[in-house]
Amino acid sequence: MQRVTIKDIARLAGVSVTTVSRALNDAPEIHSETRDKVLRVCREQGYRANLLARSLSSSHSNLLGLVVPDMANPFHAALALNIELCAQEAGYQLMLCSSRRDDQRLENLFDFLYSQRVDGILLSSAADGAFALARRCLGQVPCVLLGACPSEDSPLRANTVSVDNYAGGRMAAEYLHSLGHRNVAYLGHRAGSSTHALRHGGFLSAAAELGMSVETVSSPFPSSTIESGSRLAREFLSGPLSQTAVFAVSDAVALGFIQVADELGVAIPDQLSILGFDGIEYAALPNIRLTTLSQNAPRLAQAAVRLMLELIDGGDQGMYTRTLITPTVIRRATCRALEPSEQVPSEC
Amino acid sequence: MQRVTIKDIARLAGVSVTTVSRALNDAPEIHSETRDKVLRVCREQGYRANLLARSLSSSHSNLLGLVVPDMANPFHAALALNIELCAQEAGYQLMLCSSRRDDQRLENLFDFLYSQRVDGILLSSAADGAFALARRCLGQVPCVLLGACPSEDSPLRANTVSVDNYAGGRMAAEYLHSLGHRNVAYLGHRAGSSTHALRHGGFLSAAAELGMSVETVSSPFPSSTIESGSRLAREFLSGPLSQTAVFAVSDAVALGFIQVADELGVAIPDQLSILGFDGIEYAALPNIRLTTLSQNAPRLAQAAVRLMLELIDGGDQGMYTRTLITPTVIRRATCRALEPSEQVPSEC
DNA sequence: CTGTTAGCGCCTTCAA
DNA sequence: TTGAAGGCGCTAACAG
C-alpha cells in the first residue's frame, strides 16, 4: 500500500535522490548509463512521480483550470474539448469544473483552482461577476475570460477571448433583413450578462438602421436552456403573431422554442422563421436543421489557450488583451425568405 | 506576486504556524479568540491555503479523478455532471478528463491522476482495457469502473457500477416483440467492448426465446456517434428492407440513423421503427422524440460515488462489488405497434 | 491551549 | 558527473 518514492528508487539503484531526479527530468548533466539504470529501476518498481511534491517544490503544476457554467450544455462541452486539445499540445493538463450557473460556486471553484496552484485559469462565463473574479487574481495567477466581453468603452481590466457578440447581433439582424423580415423578435434576452448586452445592442442597432421593428422578449431564467426556450415560446406564441421571424439568444433556446411551436401548430419556417446562436452539434440534426450563427469553438479555444500560454511564459505583465472572433451564419432550414407580397412594412 | 503563506500569517498574527494550521482546520484545541484573530489576519491578507502542500503532508487530496471517453457526448456529460454533484456533497472535487476514445491517452490520464494523488479514480469506459487499468491500481488507489461490466461468470476483479446491459438488451427485444416486430436489426455492435457484448447477448437471447429474427449490423467505428450512426444507416438502408424495426446501440447512433432515413425517404416509424439506448436529453427533442432505454445517469452517478466513498473510508479491503442498474423504457414516437395484418412471421 | 520538531516527496543551489 | 543540504507550504505527533 505504501507507494514507491524517489528515495526508494535511489536506494535500489544505488545512487542519490538527486541523481534519480535528474534521470527523471532528463537533465543534461548525467551519465547515460546511470540514467538508464535508474529508469530501469523505476520501471521495475512501477514508480510514479508524486506530482504534488513536484509542483510544490518547482512552483508550477502544468495544470490549467477551466470553469464552464454548465457542461451538459453542448456548446460548452465542445469548447472544453477543444481547449483540452490545445492545452494538451502545449503540455498542460486541464482541471475542468462546472459552476452550474451558481455564482457562489463559481467563486468557490475559482478559489479552489487558485489554491490548487494551477498555472492559469480559464473562466468561461458571461456573468458580470466573472470580471470581478478575474481582477481579484491580478498578479496572482494568469486568468483569461472566455465568452465574457467588456464593452468597448469601459477600461479593459481583464484578458478576454470571445465571439464578437456585437457583430453577431448585427449579423443576425442583417441576415433576417436580407430574407425580407421586417417585424422580428429577439428572444431570451438576459440582463446582467455582458454577452447578452452586446448581442442585443448589435441586433437593435442594425435593426434600427435597416428600419426593422424589434420586440425584445426578456428571459427571467438564469440560463439559456431548452427549458427556458420552451417557456418563453409558450408566452410568446400565446397572443396573435405580428412577427415573421425570431432570433433566439442560443441554439438551446431555439430548440425549446421549436418544440413548443410544433406543439401549438406554428409551422417553421412557413409561418415563422427562427435563427439561433452558438452552432451546437445537435442543431444540425435531421428534422431540426436550425439556421444559426456559429461561435466556432475550435478557434475560440485556440485563441484562449494561446493567450494563456503567453501570459504564463511572459509572466503576465499586466497588459490586457481582447480577442474577438467573428461568428458565421450557417444556413439551414428554419429561416425562409419572404415573398415580396408578404413583406409588410415595419410596424413602427 | 509572492503569495502569502501560513508562515506570513503566523508572523502577522504573532503565533506559530501550528496555531494557524489549527485555526484553518478548526481544530478543537484552540482558544476561540486566537482562532478569530488568526482568521481575521487571513482574511485581511487574502490568504489561500496551498492545497498541494496540504495534500502532500496529509496524504489525501479530497480529489476524485473521473475519466470519460468523450465529454462532447451528452450522455457522458450528464453522467459527469451528476457525479460532480454527488462528489461535491461528500466534500470532494472532481478532476474531469476526457480520454477521447484513445486507449493510449486513457492510460496516460490514469497515470496522471494517480500521480496527482487523487483519492480515487472513476473510470467510465466500456473498453476491455479499462479492466487492466483498474487492476493495475490494486491497493494503490481506489478505482471504480463505470459502464464497464464484466460478464457474470468471469471472476470479478474490479469494482463496477453500470447499467444492466444484458437486461437492457433483453428489454429492447421484448419491447419490440410486444409491438409485433419479428424481423429486427441490431445496429452498431462493436467488438472489444464488454458493454456491447452483454447488450448484444441479452438482445439475441430474448429474441431467440421469442422467435424473432435478428440481423446484427456491426460497427467498424471506434465510437457510437451520430456520424457512425448515419454511416451504418447508409449501408443498411441501401438494400431492400426486410426488417420492421431497428435497435440502435446508442441514442447518438439512432439519431444518425434517423437523419439518413429521413434523407432516403424511409418513414419512421411508419416503415421502420427505431429504438435507442442511453436516454440523452436531445433524444427528447421535438420532431425527434426517440423511443429509447434510459440508463438513468443520476442513479448511476450516485451508486458510483457512494461505492467510491466506501472504498476510501473503508481502506479498500480488496473486496469487489458489482452494481447493476436496470434501464427504463421511455416510450416516445419512433416505435409503433404493427397491425396484426403486418405481422409477418419470422424469417428463420 | 500553544509551540517545537519532523517529516510529506521532490527540486535546486552549491560543493565535491 | 554526482551528492549533500536546504526548502517548497503544510500537517502531525509530542512536549510544555
Side-chain angles (χ1 to χ4, degrees):
Chain A
M1 194 63 185
Q2 206 47 46
R3 311 206 225 199
V4 28
T5 77
I6 203 176
K7 216 182 273 178
D8 301 319
I9 302 295
R11 186 167 31 76
L12 262 38
V15 297
S16 73
V17 287
T18 316
T19 302
V20 177
S21 174
R22 279 197 266 257
L24 257 28
N25 302 298
D26 49 35
E29 67 286 60
I30 186 176
H31 198 85
S32 62
E33 285 181 24
T34 321
R35 191 192 28 177
D36 293 349
K37 181 178 59 180
V38 170
L39 292 182
R40 186 165 41 71
V41 176
C42 286
R43 223 171 304 115
E44 287 168 4
Q45 302 297 316
Y47 169 77
R48 299 282 147 202
N50 184 329
L51 295 183
L52 295 178
R54 178 173 293 178
S55 302
L56 181 60
S57 76
S58 69
S59 63
H60 65 93
S61 59
N62 271 47
L63 241 43
L64 253 36
L66 169 61
V67 185
V68 298
D70 172 14
M71 64 193 176
N73 175 311
F75 173 69
H76 287 291
L79 189 60
L81 202 68
N82 280 289
I83 288 181
E84 192 183 47
L85 228 53
C86 297
Q88 196 196 3
E89 270 176 28
Y92 283 85
Q93 257 300 319
L94 215 57
M95 266 194 90
L96 176 57
C97 309
S98 178
S99 70
R100 300 199 298 264
R101 316 266 177 197
D102 175 341
D103 276 359
Q104 183 56 54
R105 184 170 153 78
L106 171 61
E107 201 169 327
N108 292 344
L109 282 176
F110 194 87
D111 285 346
F112 165 75
L113 290 172
Y114 175 76
S115 292
Q116 197 67 48
R117 294 303 190 260
V118 296
D119 291 341
I121 300 183
L122 297 150
L123 209 52
S124 178
S125 168
D128 285 345
F131 286 96
L133 280 181
R135 265 198 286 282
R136 212 165 79 191
C137 65
L138 285 186
Q140 308 262 42
V141 50
C143 184
V144 355
L145 256 35
L146 249 164
C149 184
S151 57
E152 284 292 340
D153 43 306
S154 81
L156 190 59
R157 298 289 304 281
N159 292 291
T160 62
V161 172
S162 85
V163 72
D164 190 338
N165 283 295
Y166 190 83
R170 290 195 60 94
M171 290 167 73
E174 286 160 4
Y175 178 63
L176 292 178
H177 182 269
S178 77
L179 294 180
H181 297 282
R182 297 295 177 267
N183 284 305
V184 301
Y186 183 102
L187 189 86
H189 182 62
R190 282 198 347 247
S193 152
S194 52
T195 297
H196 282 244
L198 286 165
R199 206 176 291 170
H200 191 227
F203 191 86
L204 290 187
S205 107
E209 288 171 21
L210 297 167
M212 297 161 76
S213 151
V214 178
E215 176 179 344
T216 296
V217 180
S218 288
S219 165
F221 309 111
S223 58
S224 302
T225 60
I226 294 184
E227 173 67 15
S228 53
S230 53
R231 299 241 194 136
L232 292 171
R234 230 171 270 286
E235 180 193 328
F236 180 77
L237 295 173
S238 62
L241 209 58
S242 65
Q243 285 80 16
T244 59
V246 170
F247 174 49
V249 291
S250 82
D251 284 353
V253 166
L255 294 180
F257 186 94
I258 292 176
Q259 180 165 21
V260 168
D262 197 52
E263 272 177 32
L264 301 181
V266 176
I268 289 172
D270 291 339
Q271 283 179 261
L272 193 62
S273 288
I274 177 146
L275 175 62
F277 198 100
D278 275 352
I280 65 175
E281 189 188 7
Y282 285 80
L285 281 181
N287 301 329
I288 301 253
R289 310 225 335 103
L290 179 69
T291 298
T292 191
L293 271 71
S294 167
Q295 294 212 36
N296 206 336
R299 281 177 59 204
L300 276 176
Q302 193 177 43
V305 171
R306 191 164 295 178
L307 174 55
M308 175 56 79
L309 293 178
E310 280 168 18
L311 292 175
I312 292 176
D313 297 341
D316 198 354
Q317 306 292 331
M319 303 267 303
Y320 299 111
T321 310
R322 165 175 20 218
T323 305
L324 289 179
I325 309 252
T326 308
T328 327
V329 177
I330 300 189
R331 291 172 182 76
R332 286 196 282 245
T334 58
C335 286
R336 81 175 174 99
L338 258 38
E339 302 294 323
S341 61
E342 298 173 297
Q343 295 186 21
V344 292
S346 166
E347 274 181 335
C348 64
Chain B
M1 193 64 183
Q2 205 48 46
R3 312 207 224 197
V4 29
T5 75
I6 202 175
K7 217 182 272 176
D8 302 319
I9 302 296
R11 185 167 34 74
L12 263 39
V15 296
S16 74
V17 287
T18 315
T19 301
V20 177
S21 174
R22 279 197 265 258
L24 257 29
N25 302 297
D26 50 35
E29 67 284 60
I30 186 177
H31 198 86
S32 62
E33 284 179 24
T34 322
R35 191 192 28 181
D36 293 348
K37 180 177 59 182
V38 170
L39 292 183
R40 186 165 41 71
V41 176
C42 286
R43 223 171 304 115
E44 285 167 6
Q45 302 297 316
Y47 168 77
R48 298 281 148 204
N50 184 329
L51 295 184
L52 295 179
R54 178 174 291 176
S55 301
L56 182 60
S57 82
S58 69
S59 64
H60 66 91
S61 59
N62 270 48
L63 242 43
L64 254 33
L66 170 61
V67 185
V68 298
D70 172 13
M71 63 193 176
N73 175 311
F75 173 69
H76 287 292
L79 189 60
L81 202 67
N82 281 288
I83 289 180
E84 192 182 47
L85 227 54
C86 296
Q88 197 197 3
E89 269 176 29
Y92 283 84
Q93 258 299 322
L94 216 56
M95 272 197 83
L96 176 57
C97 309
S98 177
S99 70
R100 300 198 298 266
R101 316 265 176 197
D102 176 341
D103 276 359
Q104 182 57 53
R105 184 171 154 78
L106 171 61
E107 201 169 327
N108 292 343
L109 282 175
F110 194 87
D111 285 346
F112 165 76
L113 289 172
Y114 176 76
S115 292
Q116 198 67 44
R117 294 302 190 262
V118 297
D119 291 340
I121 301 183
L122 297 150
L123 208 53
S124 177
S125 168
D128 285 345
F131 286 96
L133 280 180
R135 265 198 285 282
R136 213 165 80 191
C137 66
L138 285 185
Q140 309 261 40
V141 49
C143 184
V144 355
L145 257 35
L146 248 164
C149 183
S151 56
E152 284 292 341
D153 43 308
S154 82
L156 191 58
R157 298 289 303 282
N159 292 290
T160 63
V161 173
S162 86
V163 71
D164 190 337
N165 283 295
Y166 190 83
R170 290 194 61 93
M171 288 167 73
E174 285 160 4
Y175 178 63
L176 292 178
H177 181 270
S178 76
L179 295 179
H181 298 280
R182 297 296 178 266
N183 285 304
V184 301
Y186 184 104
L187 190 86
H189 182 61
R190 281 194 355 241
S193 152
S194 51
T195 297
H196 282 243
L198 286 164
R199 205 176 290 170
H200 191 227
F203 192 85
L204 291 186
S205 107
E209 287 171 21
L210 296 166
M212 298 161 77
S213 151
V214 179
E215 177 179 343
T216 297
V217 181
S218 288
S219 165
F221 309 111
S223 59
S224 302
T225 61
I226 293 185
E227 173 68 14
S228 53
S230 54
R231 299 243 192 133
L232 292 172
R234 231 171 270 288
E235 181 194 327
F236 180 76
L237 296 173
S238 63
L241 209 58
S242 64
Q243 284 80 16
T244 57
V246 170
F247 173 50
V249 291
S250 82
D251 284 354
V253 165
L255 294 179
F257 186 94
I258 292 175
Q259 180 164 21
V260 168
D262 196 51
E263 273 178 32
L264 301 181
V266 176
I268 289 173
D270 291 340
Q271 285 180 261
L272 194 61
S273 289
I274 178 148
L275 175 63
F277 198 101
D278 275 353
I280 66 176
E281 189 188 7
Y282 285 79
L285 282 180
N287 300 329
I288 301 252
R289 311 227 333 105
L290 179 68
T291 298
T292 190
L293 270 70
S294 167
Q295 294 212 37
N296 206 336
R299 281 178 58 205
L300 276 176
Q302 193 177 41
V305 171
R306 190 165 296 179
L307 175 55
M308 175 57 79
L309 294 179
E310 280 169 17
L311 291 175
I312 292 175
D313 297 341
D316 199 354
Q317 307 291 330
M319 302 267 303
Y320 299 112
T321 310
R322 164 174 24 218
T323 304
L324 290 179
I325 310 256
T326 308
T328 326
V329 177
I330 301 189
R331 291 173 182 76
R332 285 196 282 245
T334 60
C335 286
R336 79 173 176 102
L338 259 38
E339 303 293 323
S341 61
E342 298 173 296
Q343 294 186 21
V344 294
S346 165
E347 274 182 331
C348 64

